[in-house]
Amino acid sequence: MRLILLGPPGSGKGTQAVYIQSAYSICKLATGDILRSEEFKKNSLYTTVKSYMESGSLVPDEIMVEIVSCYIKKEEYSKGFILDGFPRTLAQAKVLDSMLKEASMDIDAVIEIKVDSKELVSRICNRFSCSGCGENYNKEYKPLKKENICNVCGGTDFSYRSDDKEEKIKIRLEAYENQTLKLLPYYKEKGILYSVNGMLEIEEVKKDIESILKLLT
Ligand code: AMP
């Protein structure tokens, strides 16, 4: 199964990608996670990429395509993948199509997670993750069960993304509206676009995604 999760920052793509990854045993390829990883910090492109990420704007297509084309060839993605955060522009989507075509592969479904734009800023400002296991949290929607203790690994160290600040969030949401939204008609025309209501509880969104995935298997 090869899936793309589409949605604005804060729509819950990361949370749902983790769920699909464990329920269907397919690897997620989250470009934002790759760019923030310790491994990528050693890459010669890191300094350039960092400045785009910190400003909240999109990293240029050529750089993203170069990175994704390296990662997608890895063995762990050969049986399928969930793309989270890529493609984000029409140019990226078209290159992805040709990359997959060369390998005689196709995208099975693009799942759009729709969220009211008014809600996104508060969602993003309230999110954080466990520095130990990477579990994502949100002060409002997915809080810690015990104060300052990770529900999953018991860790006590948490991190906040530097681009989750209100002024950067605005730029990231604009990038989504101006560039990434153009992907919806592109995938609709291919007949592989599905939408779920991301305003529902995490568990409800999960169920809606499951129903879509059942149609594919
Ligand atoms: P994310 O974790 O998906 O919100 O991504 C964080 C940041 O990484 C974005 O604001 C961009 O600066 C950069 N980024 C991640 N994926 C892409 C992409 N496909 N195209 C351009 N920039 C990206």
Side-chain angles (χ1 to χ4, degrees), residues 112-187:
E112 179 205 10
I113 306 181
K114 281 188 175 183
V115 176
D116 193 340
S117 60
K118 283 187 220 122
E119 174 141 340
L120 291 170
V121 177
S122 76
R123 275 196 185 194
I124 300 171
C125 289
N126 283 326
R127 69 184 180 180
F128 59 101
S129 61
C130 170
S131 311
C133 69
E135 182 73 1
N136 293 320
Y137 291 100
N138 186 294
K139 284 179 199 157
E140 217 172 300
Y141 302 96
K142 192 183 163 193
L144 295 168
K145 289 181 185 148
K146 286 191 198 149
E147 203 180 328
N148 224 28
I149 297 180
C150 173
N151 301 352
V152 177
C153 74
T156 52
D157 190 24
F158 297 93
S159 43
Y160 293 79
R161 282 172 49 172
S162 62
D163 58 348
D164 279 351
K165 303 257 162 46
E166 205 161 336
E167 66 281 9
K168 308 281 168 63
I169 296 169
K170 201 167 161 265
I171 299 171
R172 288 162 63 206
L173 293 176
E174 273 169 13
Y176 183 78
E177 274 161 26
N178 297 336
Q179 310 207 52
T180 313
L181 275 182
K182 291 185 183 144
L183 298 181
L184 298 179
Y186 179 75
Y187 288 121

Side-chain angles (χ1 to χ4, degrees), residues 9 13 30-33 35-36 49 52-54 56-61 64 68 84-89 92 127 161 163 172:
K13 298 188 297 298
T31 44
D33 290 350
L35 303 180
R36 284 184 293 273
V49 163
Y52 285 101
M53 288 178 82
E54 282 179 351
S57 46
L58 292 184
V59 175
D61 290 333
M64 287 315 301
V68 170
D84 163 7
F86 186 92
R88 260 172 153 107
T89 65
Q92 292 179 12
R127 69 184 180 180
R161 282 172 49 172
D163 58 348
R172 288 162 63 206

Side-chain angles (χ1 to χ4, degrees), residues 188-202:
K188 190 171 181 191
E189 189 147 312
K190 289 178 181 285
I192 54 170
L193 180 67
Y194 301 82
S195 293
V196 295
N197 179 0
M199 297 294 284
L200 301 175
E201 295 286 319
I202 293 173

Side-chain angles (χ1 to χ4, degrees), residues 41-85:
K41 286 184 182 151
K42 297 174 210 142
N43 192 303
S44 57
L45 292 169
Y46 180 68
T47 324
T48 316
V49 163
K50 190 170 172 250
S51 63
Y52 285 101
M53 288 178 82
E54 282 179 351
S55 69
S57 46
L58 292 184
V59 175
D61 290 333
E62 316 79 74
I63 299 183
M64 287 315 301
V65 163
E66 190 181 331
I67 296 167
V68 170
S69 63
C70 282
Y71 272 79
I72 220 164
K73 286 184 196 128
K74 292 189 177 188
E75 173 63 24
E76 66 240 54
Y77 302 114
S78 61
K79 293 196 185 76
F81 50 72
I82 312 145
L83 289 176
D84 163 7

